[in-house]
Amino acid sequence: MDEDSGEDFCCADFEDVTAGLPEEASPSLFVNDDGVLMLTVGTIETDEGFAFMDHAVLFCPFCGTQLQDAGKIAGKVGH
C-alpha cells in the first residue's frame, strides 16, 4: 500500500479491519495531514482532555508488507 495508491490494500485482513472499525475506534487508524498512515497506540487523560500517542504504520500487521518508508515519511513531515 503506497500513499498514492488510494484504496488499495496489501491483504484482505488489513482491508477487513479498516472497513470494520466501529465509530469510536475509527480515528485509531488514519492518514494525517502529511499523508502518512498512522495508528493511535495509546491515550492518556490530561487536564486539557485526552492526549494521543500516534505511530506511523510502516508494515502491515497482518501480512508484513512494507506500506511506507521511514525516509519518505521524514521528508514529508520535514525531519
Side-chain angles (χ1 to χ4, degrees):
M1 178 181 194
D2 184 275
E3 56 273 0
D4 298 325
S5 64
E7 295 290 323
D8 296 335
F9 292 91
C10 53
C11 65
D13 290 333
F14 189 63
E15 183 175 15
D16 290 347
V17 166
T18 57
L21 289 171
E23 178 79 25
E24 62 276 2
S26 61
S28 64
L29 186 64
F30 61 95
V31 176
N32 71 9
D33 293 339
D34 294 316
V36 178
L37 179 63
M38 302 292 291
L39 175 68
T40 300
V41 295
T43 60
I44 187 168
E45 190 168 352
T46 69
D47 292 339
E48 298 175 9
F50 277 105
F52 299 91
M53 181 178 185
D54 301 326
H55 192 278
V57 178
L58 299 178
F59 297 90
C60 175
F62 303 101
C63 69
T65 299
Q66 184 171 2
L67 302 174
Q68 302 180 106
D69 179 84
K72 288 182 181 178
I73 290 171
K76 287 181 174 184
V77 297
H79 291 131

